[in-house]
Structure formats: structure tokens, C-alpha cells
Amino acid sequence: MKTPSSIIAAALPLLLAAQVLAAPKEHKAKQPLDVSRGTVKIIKTSVSPDYNLPWIMKDPETSVGSGAIIRGGYILTNAHVVSDATYIQVKKESDPEMYEARVVYIGHDCDLALVKAKDEAFYRNTVELEFGGIPDLQSRVTTFGYPMGGSRISITEGITSRIEIGEYSHSGSVSFLMIQTDAAINPGNSGGPVMQNNRIVGVAFQASANSDNIGYMIPVPVIGHFLGDIKDGRYDGFPTLGVFTETLDNISYRRFLGMNDGQSGVLVSIVIPGGGAESSLQPGDVILSIDSVPVGNDGTIAFMQGRIFYSYIIDNKQIGEDVSINVLRKKKPVRVSYRLRPYPSRISWFNEFETLPRYCIFGGLVFQTLSKEYLMTWDKWWLTADRRLLYYYSYYMSDNLFPERQEFVVLNRVLPDETNTYLSDVHDRVIDSINDMKIRSLADVPEAFKKPKGGFHVIHFDGSSFPLVLRASDTDTANARIKQKYNIPSLKRLK
Amino acid sequence: MRAIILAAFLLVVTAFLSSGAYAGMEDRVVNIIVTAQKQDYASPWQRGNIARSMVTGCVIAGNRILTSAYSLTDHVVIEVMKNGESKKYPARVVINDYHSGLAIIAPEDESFFKGLKPAALAPAWKMPGREGKVYKWDSLSSFKEYNAGLTKSSIRFYEPTCAVLMHQFSTSMNDGGNGEPVFIDGMLCGITTGLSNETKTLYAISIEAVHRLLKDMGDGTYGGIPFFWVDTADLQSDTSLREYYGMGADDTGVLVTDVPPGSSGSEVLKRNDIILSVDRTTMDDTGMYDSPYGKLYYYGLIQINRFVGDTVSMRILRDKAKMDVRFKLKPIPRSYSVIPLISYDSPPAYYIFGGIVFQNLTMGYLEAHGSEWKQKADKRLLYYYDNVKALSSTGEINNVVIVNRVLPDTVNQGYQYYKDLVLLRVNGVRVRDLAHLKKLVGGSADRFIVMDFVGETTIVLDRKLAVEREQELKSTYNINSMEYIPGD
């Protein structure tokens, strides 16, 4: 059963991906497979940064999850089980030993990761689990894992109750195919395999916070995308269609656009700058089909016995692949084709991991970029965070706010010091300019401070003409003093 | 239900007629019963819930009753009662000025004042003491007196344009802040307009505001508190900022940050001016000047006892040079803000086409989200609210027209989840207000009505179909009229 360890990592996912496609749906194992020998417990310690004081880290936390051993000795689990990890251990049920492990690949958008035990001895007496397909609705599935941190494996049965596109909450603001089951999925189940006919049909990953007995798993097409993505040795993530669309349920709207009764599709409302579709699609285009798959007026395509949102077609593609689209433009059919790119964001709508906040401190003024992580430093942030910041976050794309800005630079706070003592209650303001230089990215901030105006640094914010003024001659000594006084290792982290 | 409870009270309490312990005050303080009906911002074609409340008024000279304007909001019926008697006298509103927070009502039947005496008003700027008494009628016929110790006087704003001098009293009162008079040494010193039960603080509109109101009304026309909508920021003794603006060591003042057109002074003040003094009264770097009530915000110099038409002089620092400017005080325009900031007493305007309910973005619409409206309302609408001055200054629109909701019907299939959208254009024309929208839609001969909203959302309606569906929509949703556009 033990996998030869000579297979190199980069080559392996290819085989796995092929396996996904080749897996027969109704595979029956000849002998009963002991799935528990392919299920492991994962114990992680993690530290994450504090976006409120961007130079410090929060306290370490320990959490427990599950994982499945797949071909090549990789342990497939959720990204959130191993994200921001400083130390990972894996444990088998039959073995008292804990083994150190490391993350080999991690995909935060699809909440999947591959982990490997450092010591080959871990793999003794384990089985490698194979992939199945998408389970039929109402068919039985079995979840394996270590819920609530218990040391013995837990096995729960349930049925496949729904297959839909839904939000993956680890990153947030991203939606992919997911399967709903009534098999109990609790904290600690995360990353464990959901099995049918001795094959993995999903990775348990999240539960509904509001209702009982609704658990979700990541289905094989999404796992296949992840494994296909890392073929080149790097995880790049999912591509975007490059546009936002609106449904065309209203017949008058369709008539206005010149669609006949035989045509259906969705309307391009926003072409995302830098999203790959800029030279191919225009606002007002009607997307009739994607890769020759007709799109309904409600934005769905045929899928299994029912219909599913058209994004499924794009979600099955990798960044760099082409897409071809039939559009109705000014009442005339046009066919366009373009290369898919990752989603570009000027304000990140996603939870971030394995990354440290960028910042720049000058004269005690802490500059950062506006992002979801920044807003989440407020308790109940969606209700309580600064209203201008929430508006920018929610609507910067649709309202096309400050298109010249690559990102939005925010004055987080002022670290009180004699140089800025009259400014110390200024916080959470969006920077418009520093010393008459328009601020389009965090990197502009240190540049702008190099050129004071008439002996002063003058900072202007969005929404007010009231400037913030620092005496230029004071700031060098103030910077050194503030760094020392507040015990800040570095006054900037721009990358 | 409420009427029954009220009647029951009457029977019980007549037995406890006022003992006369506060001799002389019962005949100056009267009970006002306000029946109010809330506006329904969710379904603007109907009215909301009906509630009755008891508030307090104070008899003043000329057979009039003074109370707090905010006690009368959305009133349908106003009745007054006196001396613990059960007889109710219908009353009318003489003036209800939400800017000053004061209202004057008068009973139709002047015999009401038989046995009542007008309160003596304290003179302006001469508070007779610091220990006051607040009076009200509890349960119709039990007359109550509470102590009220003056703790602070300050300038407060019902609207960003209007400064009102208010006093804060610490009190043991549990239920109040609804027009009760505050007397010090037998003289009326304020009309309450709010009570914080947490801090036991009673807020009262100053007698100076009462004097201003009465004097303003004296000639038969009411000019109101003068309009001053200039935004300033405190310099807070910030040495760098002071040096940057070239202020001398003895100069203190506030920085002008925004001058919306239409405001008094907008023709002479400019952004980045520093206002050093108003009518020769200097202010400090936080905009405070010395008054008999302690430090007050400089708006007081322009608005407390000033009238429309008065001239104000200011000494300012512009481009590091001092200069004097003068300007005449203008009245508050009927609509100066594209988001009306006070929307009491008037039902929300609306216009329904194709089942799409258009309304103006108003304070009332936002507040209909509940007490936490600043958290719960749509983030874009809140941003518009927060930046209303800039939005109003462009002059492009008179109101922010929004889609409140869509009443589902075949004509608007696919649009029924739209909510809180901000309307930009109809068939390519920028929409200035509801009346303009109605004109654009009604005057169109096109097959389609194309409506563009902020955020790249578009609604297309078949014009004929929308008109055809109107009767059906009216009866399905029980709507008496598809529009209410005052002034249209």
C-alpha cells in the first residue's frame, strides 16, 4: 500500500487529475476498504497579523482538523485547517505518535491544501484514497474525521441533499460548486473525506451557521481544479470571466436589447478593469453562450438534471486558458475569445492568509491599504466600521470610485508623539494627496513625503478640505523616536 | 385602546386633585395631548401607526402655549387640558419651528385661559440662578415638581445649519423632556426637549431662543433662524497648522473648509479662510467665545439672537492677510439640502411607475431603518447622507431619487429584488427630482423607458405595458394614488 516516495511532487497531480476524470461513478471495491487508515487528524498552531497594529502578530492559536491521504502520500485537507501555520502535526488513529508535517500547496479561494508528513514512517500502514465523482442527489455519503478534537475517528452518514454554487467562507466573497449533506459536519471535521463507494466524493469544509444538520463538502470538480492548478508547481487560483453581469428575466429589457424569443443570456453591466475581458466585452453586451454552452436569462446553464449558475464553466478553467463567448452587441451577434485572468482587486474583498499587512509609518501616522482584513478589525465590522470605508469597500467597483487609484490608502491612526500631538485623534481617513502628490498606492506615500511644501508636509483626505500638517524639519527625529518608543521593528513594510 | 386607558385615568385621578403645594405654578403649566400618525416610508401611499402622547406646555402672554416642537411631530390632533380638569380643548399650531425646537399652540376656545396666568420670562443672558424647578402634569391631574440643577450651557444643532442655545440640567425626573417648562426663581428659563435617563440629564431650549422666536414673530411674519451652512474645522492650537496658515501668535480662530453656495456668507467667505472674530467677538482655536453662560460655539454669534436680514461682520485671515468681510443673513431655503434633513409633518413624496416605487432620499427614509439606521441603511445611501453638503453644492439635482421597492408584477419581472437604487437618468436625461422623473416618464413617446442607476444597473420597462398595468397594480396593492409629489 505504501506509495513509492520517488514520485516527484510536480508530476503527481497530473496523475491525480487524470484519476478524477477516469473515476467510474459506480466503482465498487473488491475488498472492504478501511477508510479510517486513510484519514488523519491535523493539529495546527497558527499566528496571524493584527491589521490594527500592522507590525505585530496576534497570539498563537491551536486548532484541529482532518485530512485524507491521497496518492503520492499527500494529505488533502482544507486550506483553513493549515492556514497561517507555524507548526503542523498529523496523527493516525492507530498510531500513538504525532508526526510533523508541512504545507506543500495551499489554495485559499477553494479552501484546499496538500500537506505532507516530514517522516516517511508516518505512512506506514496507511491507505491512499481514490477520487470518485459527483454523488447523485439523495445518495448516501459517509464523512470521516475528528470532530470536536476527539482522538478517535468519527464516522457519520448522511445523504446528498443539494448541489449548488455557494460561498466558500474561508476566503469569503467567492462562490464555487459545493455539495450539501445532512451528515453531521462539526469543527474538526474540516478537511476530512466524504466517501461514497470507497471513493472520495468531497472534502468536508463548512457548516451552515443558522440551521442544524446542514454541512457542506467541496466536490471533486473543485478538487480537480486545485490539483490541476498546481501541476506547474504553483497555485494560481481561479480565473474571472472579467465582467459583472445582470440577469435578463424581464422581457421588455430583452426586447429593448433586440433579443428574439429564441435567444437568452445575461447582460454585461461592468467590465472589470484588468480582468482580462476589457478588449473583448463591453457594457451592454448580452452573453448568449460561453464556450458554446447556452446561458439562460436567469444566468444558468444546464447541469446534471437541473441548472446551475454560468460561473461553473469558468470555475472549471485555469488562469491562462481561453474562453469564447457569443454576444449580442447592438443587436448583432459577435463572437469573442480571450485569455482568462485572475480577479484584480483594488480593495480586497477576501480574507487573507500567509500574508502580512503592508504599512508605512511617517511622523507617527500609520498608513495602510483598505481591505476586508482592515475593516474586520472593527467588532461587527459590517455595522460599525467607518461609513466611508464601508461605502468604498462595497461600491468601489460598481460606482467606479477613483479609477486612477491602484489601491486606497488609509490613515489608520496616529501614534501620539510631540510632532503630531494635535492630530492624535485623526483616524480611518482615506488619503487623497500628500504634498500635492495624488496617492494611488501605498508605495506613493514614502515618495510623497520626500518633497515637503514650504517646510511642511501637507496631507489631504477624501471628503474634506481640512489638511493635516506636519513640520518637515521635525519628522526625521520624530520617526526615530516613535520607532523606539512604540517598539516598532520597522517603519514600513511595502511588500 | 389608548382612549379607554386615558378615560380610566380620569376617573381615578380626580380624587387626587392638586394639593396646592406648588401654588401658582399649576396655572402656568398645561397638559397637551398629541395624537400623531407616523409616516410610512416603506409603503408611502398609506399612513403609519397612530399613537397618543401627553406632553407639557407653558402659558405665555397673548393666550398662547409654548412647548417643544419635537413633541408635536406628525400630529393629527392636538388637545390641551388645564388644572387637572378632564375637559379637552382642541388646539391649533401657531408655529412649529424644528430649527429652534420650539412650538407655539393656541386653543380655539380662548376661555381655556380663564384661571391661567402667563409665565414671566427670564431676561436674555441673565439667568436668575442655577437651581431650577421643572413642572409637569402626571396622569392628567397630579401636578409634579422636580429639581433641576444647571450643569452646562452649549450650542447644539437640530440641523447642521441651525445653532440653538441649550441648557443641561441634572434632574431626578424619570419621564420628561417633552416641553416641560424650567423655572428659576419663578421665571421661565427653558423648555425641555429631551431627557437622558442614563445620565439623568434634561436638555432645555434656552429662554434666548424663546425671546428670538417671539420677537421674530412680532411683525406677523416669521423669518426663522438665519441660514449659515459654512463648514469649519477647529485649529486646536496646532502649532504646525497655525504656522502653515500664517497665523500670528495672538490670532485664534477656525478654518473654513466648505462654503456651499446659498449659505449666508457664501459670497464673501472662501475655503481656507480663517475666521478670527464675529462682530468683534473673538473666538479661540476651537471656535469658542465667552458668553454669560460660559464658552459657546461661534455659531451662537450668528444665530442665537440674530434675524434674517441682519448684517454680520467677520474678521478673517486669507492668504496670510487680515481682512474684514460683511454679509447679510439669509433665510433657510425651503430645500437647500438634496437630502431633506427634517422630514416631519409631511408625508413622503413618491411616484410609482411599472410597480417601481420611487421616493426621495430623506432623513425620514433613513430613520425608518430604526434607531441603528446609521449601521443598517445601505452603505451608499449613508455615504450620500454623510456627504450631503458636497452633493448639494453641485446644483445638478434637487433631490436624490431612489427606488424604495418594487411591487412585483408581470411588468417588472426580474426587477423585484431591486432596492435602495439611486436613479441617475431616464432615457438618457439626468433626473433632478421626482417631479422631473414624472415629467420624463409621462412625456415620453418612446416604446421603452430606460432607467439608469448608480452602480451600472439599468431597468427597462415597456411604457405602454407599464401604463396598462397601473389599474391592476393599484387594486392588487391597495394603492389610492400612484404619486404624491408636493409642489408638482
Side-chain angles (χ1 to χ4, degrees):
Chain A
M1 280 293 183
K2 189 173 176 293
T3 311
S5 54
S6 57
I7 296 176
I8 57 161
L12 183 80
L14 220 167
L15 300 172
L16 280 171
Q19 185 65 43
V20 170
L21 299 174
K25 231 177 171 181
E26 290 301 320
H27 175 88
K28 294 262 191 281
K30 278 172 189 149
Q31 285 169 338
L33 175 74
D34 187 358
V35 176
S36 64
R37 281 168 56 203
T39 308
V40 304
K41 181 173 165 179
I42 301 173
I43 303 116
K44 158 190 89 158
T45 302
S46 60
V47 289
S48 47
D50 184 349
Y51 279 73
N52 208 14
L53 299 169
W55 58 93
I56 70 162
M57 304 298 281
K58 292 188 206 164
D59 291 337
E61 285 174 28
T62 298
S63 59
V64 174
S66 307
I69 301 173
I70 59 171
R71 191 172 285 195
Y74 285 101
I75 300 164
L76 176 67
T77 184
N78 286 140
H80 75 261
V81 169
V82 291
S83 57
D84 284 337
T86 52
Y87 190 63
I88 300 171
Q89 290 169 295
V90 288
K91 191 181 174 305
K92 297 174 289 179
E93 204 195 17
S94 57
D95 189 338
E97 205 74 17
M98 301 259 259
Y99 296 84
E100 285 185 16
R102 65 186 172 88
V103 175
V104 187
Y105 294 106
I106 190 158
H108 292 291
D109 47 3
C110 62
D111 199 4
L112 289 169
L114 289 182
V115 175
K116 221 166 187 187
K118 291 179 181 170
D119 185 350
E120 279 302 317
F122 171 78
Y123 294 99
R124 221 177 290 140
N125 202 24
T126 59
V127 297
E128 293 181 341
L129 303 175
E130 306 275 339
F131 289 99
I134 297 177
D136 287 330
L137 280 176
Q138 289 192 297
S139 64
R140 298 203 79 77
V141 291
T142 311
T143 303
F144 291 77
Y146 293 86
M148 319 310 283
S151 59
R152 299 296 308 274
I153 196 162
S154 151
I155 303 169
T156 53
E157 274 221 335
I159 60 159
T160 305
S161 45
R162 198 199 311 223
I163 303 173
E164 61 177 342
I165 288 186
E167 191 186 22
Y168 277 41
S169 61
H170 175 56
S171 267
S173 309
V174 286
S175 293
F176 303 113
L177 192 69
M178 56 167 67
I179 298 179
Q180 183 183 313
T181 169
D182 64 355
I185 291 180
N186 288 305
N189 266 121
S190 280
V194 182
M195 306 293 292
Q196 187 174 66
N197 299 328
N198 285 333
R199 284 175 178 265
I200 298 175
V201 293
V203 173
F205 81 121
Q206 63 190 34
S208 168
N210 301 320
S211 39
D212 291 335
N213 285 333
I214 293 182
Y216 296 96
M217 58 173 137
I218 302 170
V220 169
V222 178
I223 302 170
H225 188 277
F226 171 69
L227 297 176
D229 188 326
I230 59 181
K231 273 192 280 188
D232 59 358
R234 197 182 73 170
Y235 183 73
D236 300 302
F238 285 72
T240 172
L241 182 61
V243 295
F244 290 146
T245 59
E246 287 188 13
T247 58
L248 284 172
D249 302 284
N250 192 279
I251 187 162
S252 303
Y253 207 156
R254 296 201 297 272
R255 292 279 180 275
F256 171 72
L257 293 165
M259 293 165 71
N260 62 43
D261 286 340
Q263 288 173 318
S264 70
V266 291
L267 181 74
V268 173
S269 56
I270 294 170
V271 178
I272 302 168
E278 290 149 293
S279 52
S280 306
L281 292 174
Q282 303 169 3
D285 284 355
V286 180
I287 296 179
L288 303 171
S289 70
I290 303 173
D291 283 350
S292 302
V293 179
V295 177
N297 291 322
D298 63 349
T300 62
I301 54 164
F303 175 77
M304 295 175 76
Q305 297 89 351
R307 298 188 69 84
I308 200 163
F309 195 59
Y310 73 75
S311 62
Y312 184 67
I313 302 174
I314 306 305
D315 294 343
N316 279 319
K317 288 171 171 281
Q318 298 290 354
I319 289 166
E321 282 185 53
D322 288 339
V323 66
S324 66
I325 296 181
N326 284 329
V327 300
L328 193 65
R329 177 174 299 160
K330 298 190 173 83
K331 306 185 182 180
K332 290 197 178 71
V334 180
R335 187 176 176 85
V336 298
S337 173
Y338 54 95
R339 194 141 292 174
L340 293 171
R341 296 179 58 176
Y343 179 81
S345 60
R346 299 195 287 139
I347 299 174
S348 172
W349 287 335
F350 314 109
N351 305 325
E352 288 169 64
F353 304 92
E354 338 286 338
T355 168
L356 296 172
R358 293 177 295 130
Y359 66 92
C360 163
I361 301 172
F362 191 86
L365 279 56
V366 183
F367 298 93
Q368 280 169 259
T369 56
L370 179 57
S371 66
K372 185 182 178 188
E373 289 286 350
Y374 181 76
L375 290 169
M376 286 196 298
T377 57
W378 273 270
D379 186 33
K380 293 191 189 144
W381 66 278
W382 182 244
L383 299 176
T384 57
D386 178 85
R387 293 204 293 273
R388 176 183 294 270
L389 300 187
L390 283 173
Y391 166 66
Y392 283 19
Y393 172 83
S394 306
Y395 291 113
Y396 86 90
M397 182 78 81
S398 63
D399 292 9
N400 199 25
L401 301 177
F402 304 96
E404 69 283 4
R405 292 183 187 165
Q406 293 158 31
E407 55 191 3
F408 292 75
V409 177
V410 177
L411 172 62
N412 172 346
R413 57 163 73 204
V414 177
L415 302 171
D417 178 76
E418 61 197 67
T419 193
N420 60 36
T421 184
Y422 293 101
L423 322 171
S424 51
D425 51 356
V426 182
H427 60 93
D428 298 303
R429 308 293 294 271
V430 183
I431 311 300
D432 173 60
S433 70
I434 297 175
N435 295 333
D436 291 342
M437 173 175 165
K438 291 282 181 187
I439 299 302
R440 292 170 181 171
S441 71
L442 189 64
D444 287 347
V445 173
E447 287 306 309
F449 276 121
K450 285 177 186 166
K451 294 165 211 138
K453 295 265 150 191
F456 294 99
H457 292 296
V458 184
I459 301 158
H460 278 100
F461 306 114
D462 285 0
S464 165
S465 68
F466 187 55
L468 202 149
V469 175
L470 291 173
R471 199 176 273 110
S473 55
D474 292 349
T475 41
D476 281 348
T477 47
N479 281 338
R481 188 170 58 227
I482 287 163
K483 184 175 189 293
Q484 195 251 334
K485 192 162 51 177
Y486 288 96
N487 193 21
I488 301 169
S490 168
L491 288 177
K492 63 183 175 195
R493 184 195 293 129
L494 295 175
K495 275 180 184 165
Chain B
M1 272 303 261
R2 286 201 175 232
I4 293 165
I5 294 164
L6 219 56
F9 263 126
L10 287 175
L11 289 176
V12 178
V13 292
T14 34
F16 301 97
L17 261 178
S18 168
S19 63
Y22 321 111
M25 283 313 182
E26 304 95 311
D27 54 15
R28 288 165 175 79
V29 181
V30 300
N31 231 328
I32 306 171
I33 300 169
V34 182
T35 306
Q37 185 166 25
K38 280 196 166 177
Q39 315 299 341
D40 187 341
Y41 285 92
S43 305
W45 53 90
Q46 56 193 29
R47 283 299 100 76
N49 205 1
I50 299 164
R52 282 187 112 182
S53 56
M54 283 197 296
V55 301
T56 306
C58 180
V59 179
I60 56 169
N63 284 354
R64 293 174 295 180
I65 297 163
L66 183 64
T67 185
S68 133
Y70 291 87
S71 298
L72 306 180
T73 51
D74 297 330
H75 63 269
V76 183
V77 179
I78 297 175
E79 294 153 306
V80 286
M81 300 166 84
K82 60 170 176 173
N83 278 330
E85 293 164 16
S86 56
K87 182 168 181 187
K88 291 179 200 159
Y89 296 75
R92 66 187 171 85
V93 173
V94 177
I95 191 163
N96 194 3
D97 181 18
Y98 289 112
H99 297 125
S100 68
L102 292 169
I104 290 175
I105 60 172
E108 316 275 355
D109 180 357
E110 297 226 332
S111 73
F112 174 77
F113 291 98
K114 205 178 282 173
L116 296 178
K117 285 188 195 129
L121 310 188
W125 304 107
K126 286 194 186 104
M127 189 81 89
R130 298 188 69 85
E131 295 307 318
K133 306 276 185 202
V134 189
Y135 298 97
K136 68 178 284 205
W137 290 90
D138 253 4
S139 329
L140 293 188
S141 63
S142 123
F143 193 64
K144 288 275 171 70
E145 178 190 272
Y146 301 89
N147 289 326
L150 181 67
T151 53
K152 187 185 172 186
S153 303
S154 60
I155 298 292
R156 298 179 80 88
F157 296 87
Y158 282 117
E159 237 184 295
T161 52
C162 306
V164 180
L165 174 61
M166 281 199 208
H167 301 300
Q168 293 176 32
F169 296 92
S170 71
T171 182
S172 58
M173 203 174 194
N174 284 322
D175 184 20
N178 298 309
E180 301 87 13
V182 184
F183 286 91
I184 297 177
D185 201 18
M187 283 188 281
L188 181 68
C189 287
I191 295 289
T192 69
T193 189
L195 170 67
S196 162
N197 262 322
E198 265 171 49
T199 59
K200 285 290 175 198
T201 302
L202 195 56
Y203 294 86
I205 298 162
S206 66
I207 201 69
E208 286 71 21
V210 176
H211 284 305
R212 207 211 71 82
L213 178 87
L214 295 175
K215 194 171 170 197
D216 198 335
M217 290 170 74
D219 61 355
T221 58
Y222 184 65
I225 294 182
F227 185 45
F228 190 66
W229 207 21
V230 170
D231 249 358
T232 54
D234 301 347
L235 294 171
Q236 289 197 340
S237 320
D238 182 334
T239 48
S240 312
L241 207 56
R242 292 170 51 85
E243 196 180 314
Y244 176 72
Y245 282 107
M247 290 170 77
D250 298 331
D251 297 335
T252 52
V254 292
L255 176 72
V256 175
T257 54
D258 203 6
V259 187
S263 168
S264 307
S266 61
E267 58 285 340
V268 292
L269 291 172
K270 283 184 182 172
R271 213 176 244 195
N272 292 327
D273 284 351
I274 290 163
I275 304 174
L276 302 169
S277 70
V278 177
D279 291 333
R280 293 167 190 266
T281 304
T282 53
M283 64 185 91
D284 65 17
D285 269 356
T286 55
M288 306 298 267
Y289 69 97
D290 290 315
S291 85
Y293 297 135
K295 287 203 180 295
L296 294 177
Y297 194 52
Y298 80 97
Y299 264 57
L301 294 168
I302 303 163
Q303 294 182 312
I304 294 181
N305 36 18
R306 307 304 296 267
F307 300 88
V308 169
D310 285 2
T311 299
V312 167
S313 69
M314 285 182 174
R315 170 150 282 206
I316 61 169
L317 188 68
R318 177 178 296 167
D319 299 329
K320 305 187 180 181
K322 282 180 196 166
M323 58 190 286
D324 291 304
V325 296
R326 292 162 70 82
F327 57 90
K328 266 207 158 93
L329 291 173
K330 299 181 203 168
I332 298 173
R334 205 172 61 82
S335 59
Y336 63 93
S337 164
V338 294
I339 302 173
L341 299 173
I342 289 177
S343 33
Y344 298 114
D345 298 343
S346 50
Y350 67 92
Y351 175 68
I352 304 175
F353 186 74
I356 296 164
V357 184
F358 293 95
Q359 269 164 264
N360 287 330
L361 178 60
T362 63
M363 200 63 201
Y365 183 82
L366 290 168
E367 283 178 342
H369 289 78
S371 61
E372 292 177 327
W373 62 274
K374 284 190 178 177
Q375 304 190 349
K376 289 182 175 159
D378 174 74
K379 310 296 181 202
R380 184 191 279 131
L381 300 188
L382 286 173
Y383 175 79
Y384 281 30
Y385 165 76
D386 287 332
N387 294 277
V388 64
K389 205 170 277 187
L391 204 60
S392 304
S393 297
T394 65
E396 198 185 14
I397 52 169
N398 301 324
N399 284 121
V400 178
V401 177
I402 58 171
V403 170
N404 170 4
R405 57 157 72 184
V406 177
L407 304 169
D409 183 76
T410 50
V411 67
N412 56 46
Q413 205 193 344
Y415 307 140
Q416 58 208 49
Y417 298 112
Y418 285 152
K419 197 176 166 35
D420 290 337
L421 289 177
V422 177
L423 182 61
L424 278 177
R425 290 177 297 272
V426 167
N427 290 351
V429 180
R430 182 74 166 104
V431 176
R432 293 191 303 271
D433 52 31
L434 276 183
H436 188 215
L437 166 65
K438 183 189 160 191
K439 208 171 152 192
L440 289 173
V441 172
S444 170
D446 296 337
R447 182 179 167 197
F448 298 107
I449 301 289
V450 182
M451 299 164 166
D452 296 319
F453 298 88
V454 175
E456 308 302 328
T457 297
T458 299
I459 284 178
V460 176
L461 292 172
D462 184 303
R463 188 175 53 83
K464 273 190 192 143
L465 182 63
V467 172
E468 276 167 30
R469 297 297 301 166
E470 193 168 303
Q471 281 312 314
E472 182 74 21
L473 271 160
K474 265 185 163 177
S475 69
T476 310
Y477 290 96
N478 198 19
I479 298 169
N480 49 358
S481 169
M482 291 306 224
E483 61 173 77
Y484 171 69
I485 308 174
D488 177 42

